[in-house]
Amino acid sequence: MTTSESSGSVVRRILLGSQLRRLRESRGITREAAGYSIRASESKISRMELGRVSFKTRDVEDLLTLYGITVESEREALLGLAREANIAGWWHSYGDVLPSWFQTYVGLEGAASHIGIYEVQFVHGLLQTENYAHAVVVRGQPGAERAEIERRVSLRMERQKLLFSERAPAFHAVLDEAALHRPYGGPAVMRGQLQHLVDLSEQPNVTLQVMPFEHGGHSGESGAFTVLRFPESDLPDVVYVEQLTGALYLDKAEEVAQYERAMDRLRTDSLSPRRTRDLINCLLQQA
């Protein structure tokens, strides 16, 4: 199975979920009533509509009946989407080290046509060298066995292939300057990471900016976040906000718009890509 095929299954799952939500809301049916119709809880309906779980054909059939979708062609189109949405992604082989709440993100990341990120604590995972990623994982998982650490690093390296694939997304990263100064893995590792950033910034699909200390307060005050945009017109932009034990996936238009405005301000207020490379090269000379 190719990466695009497996990532596409996540897109189909979220697309189906959003369509089921629109159908339910247009009929004035509550999540509780929808859950009752498929012998499930209200929270199960919520997870289905967010694309966070797989779809049973019987459940989709029952929901379509409840929502008054009786035309066979309409039903079959959505049922076909449900079947395609259940294809497992390549990342499922890393299920031993991949939290369930992050699996959805990996699929969305692989399906996105544009990825915008703001990172504070460290260099973003898609931009990390293997040695830097190893240091980050060790710091974040202090009790992990060596085998688990290697698996986590391997997963991160596998994700990075996306930036060099035939369907590579436009990747626009804003890093807080703190991420460039916080040492992970020692001086040699940091030098390698800084040089890697310079090299990646020359990729045609990668735009790298740094939010400098000198700017003071800025629109990223709430912390790191990611905005994902997709080529499918029916699929809304998604904002991903990671927390210590889970993550938020926001797709309501008003919430996404607020984060997109914050991202636009971050890009405007940050150093230009050229000045960003100059800063990183300066740090390299000092390292």
Side-chain angles (χ1 to χ4, degrees):
M1 179 182 299
T2 67
T3 300
S4 60
E5 287 172 340
S6 56
S7 298
S9 66
V10 175
V11 170
R12 294 183 184 97
R13 195 165 67 226
I14 294 179
L15 181 57
L16 175 60
S18 65
Q19 290 183 356
L20 289 175
R21 183 180 65 188
R22 284 196 294 269
L23 287 171
R24 178 182 61 77
E25 291 176 344
S26 69
R27 269 62 174 185
I29 298 172
T30 65
R31 287 196 182 97
E32 182 179 10
Y36 182 81
S37 74
I38 62 169
R39 305 151 297 282
S41 65
E42 179 180 351
S43 63
K44 171 70 177 294
I45 294 297
S46 178
R47 292 194 299 273
M48 289 175 66
E49 292 180 350
L50 290 171
R52 299 288 299 276
V53 294
S54 59
F55 291 88
K56 294 181 180 178
T57 301
R58 178 184 173 186
D59 289 345
V60 176
E61 288 177 337
D62 289 347
L63 287 174
L64 292 178
T65 298
L66 177 66
Y67 301 157
I69 306 302
T70 58
V71 178
E72 192 59 32
S73 60
E74 293 182 47
R75 291 177 65 90
E76 184 51 38
L78 291 170
L79 289 170
L81 202 57
R83 289 189 289 270
E84 294 172 357
N86 288 331
I87 298 173
W90 62 265
W91 54 89
H92 284 269
S93 63
Y94 287 92
D96 55 324
V97 296
L98 189 63
S100 59
W101 49 264
F102 193 62
Q103 293 183 19
T104 298
Y105 175 77
V106 176
L108 291 175
E109 181 181 72
S113 58
H114 184 279
I115 302 173
I117 69 100
Y118 170 62
E119 189 59 75
V120 186
Q121 177 76 5
F122 39 64
V123 173
H124 188 269
L126 290 183
L127 302 175
Q128 294 176 4
T129 64
E130 187 169 355
N131 288 334
Y132 182 94
H134 188 276
V136 170
V137 172
V138 169
R139 185 76 59 86
Q141 305 288 331
E145 298 287 340
R146 180 176 178 179
E148 178 183 344
I149 292 172
E150 296 305 322
R151 288 278 289 163
R152 290 179 180 274
V153 173
S154 176
L155 168 63
R156 196 159 299 181
M157 296 301 103
E158 189 68 28
R159 284 171 53 206
Q160 291 182 6
K161 293 178 180 179
L162 173 69
L163 294 182
F164 304 94
S165 66
E166 291 183 2
R167 54 184 302 278
F171 184 76
H172 196 144
V174 176
L175 302 180
D176 195 279
E177 188 176 348
L180 305 181
H181 290 275
R182 185 168 288 108
Y184 279 93
V189 171
M190 286 303 299
R191 283 194 298 270
Q193 179 60 68
L194 292 173
Q195 183 60 58
H196 187 58
L197 289 176
V198 172
D199 295 341
L200 283 176
S201 70
E202 297 174 354
Q203 286 288 118
N205 60 310
V206 174
T207 302
L208 178 61
Q209 294 182 260
V210 167
M211 170 57 71
F213 288 141
E214 63 190 37
H215 186 77
H218 54 74
S219 61
E221 60 187 4
S222 63
F225 64 95
T226 299
V227 179
L228 300 156
R229 190 169 300 146
F230 307 93
E232 292 81 5
S233 59
D234 290 340
L235 196 64
D237 293 354
V238 174
V239 172
Y240 171 78
V241 182
E242 189 168 312
Q243 301 170 329
L244 188 61
T245 58
L248 297 175
Y249 293 86
L250 310 174
D251 66 349
K252 291 184 178 179
E254 60 272 20
E255 293 179 321
V256 171
Q258 191 166 343
Y259 275 92
E260 288 180 332
R261 286 192 295 270
M263 184 69 80
D264 287 341
R265 291 196 298 273
L266 280 168
R267 292 168 178 168
T268 298
D269 296 337
S270 294
L271 298 178
S272 68
R274 182 186 60 79
R275 291 186 63 198
T276 290
R277 280 192 293 271
D278 290 343
L279 171 63
I280 297 175
N281 278 319
C282 182
L283 293 175
L284 264 171
Q285 293 173 10
Q286 298 171 7

